[in-house]
Amino acid sequence: NPVEGKKDVVVKASLQPIEIIYDGETVDGLIESFRVQKDINLIDLTSAASATWHDLKSQATVSLKDAMKTRKHMDLDVKLHSPYIILPEKGIYSKDASLLVVDLGLLSMTSVDVAKG
């Protein structure tokens, strides 16, 4: 039960940014480890993934509809500091490499009490 006022649900979260360093050799290794083997039937794999996705989507829809019927008031305060990406010159990270740093910003979501305007 939320402590703050007459709210059914209170959601407060703050996610601090993470640092992502691009390294070409590491990315190449990851891509190679996820390569699909020729003996795997992609049609069967796609069909199974699609069925699972459909089931999850249906469950989420039912849960959301139920929540909308039973929950009247929500207090939402979420701040997501997006990651920043470090791109080294020539794609290889080293202490001496020139770097380009890309900050992906901040996403902030806050509920508004309609009754207060």
Side-chain angles (χ1 to χ4, degrees):
N1 290 339
V3 177
E4 301 177 21
K6 297 180 179 180
K7 305 291 183 187
D8 292 312
V9 177
V10 175
V11 178
K12 292 189 183 235
S14 179
L15 177 67
Q16 296 303 310
I18 60 171
E19 176 183 279
I20 299 172
I21 300 174
Y22 173 83
D23 181 65
E25 294 173 351
T26 303
V27 172
D28 290 344
L30 284 170
I31 290 171
E32 187 61 35
S33 69
F34 285 103
R35 285 203 192 277
V36 177
Q37 299 172 359
K38 291 182 181 180
D39 61 343
I40 294 177
N41 187 339
L42 289 179
I43 294 173
D44 291 342
L45 185 61
T46 304
S47 177
S50 178
T52 302
W53 170 249
H54 180 69
D55 290 345
L56 289 172
K57 187 171 79 169
S58 296
Q59 290 174 3
T61 301
V62 169
S63 296
L64 182 58
K65 284 181 180 178
D66 181 55
M68 290 172 65
K69 288 179 187 175
T70 59
R71 301 290 181 188
K72 304 295 184 212
H73 299 91
M74 175 187 283
D75 186 7
L76 179 68
D77 185 12
V78 178
K79 290 180 179 42
L80 303 175
H81 295 266
S82 298
Y84 56 95
I85 301 171
I86 299 175
L87 301 168
E89 184 177 24
K90 299 179 184 173
I92 307 294
Y93 182 77
S94 70
K95 288 191 260 184
D96 301 329
S98 296
L99 305 173
L100 172 66
V101 179
V102 180
D103 185 344
L104 299 178
L106 168 71
L107 173 64
S108 181
M109 297 179 285
T110 306
S111 60
V112 176
D113 191 351
V114 179
K116 291 182 180 178

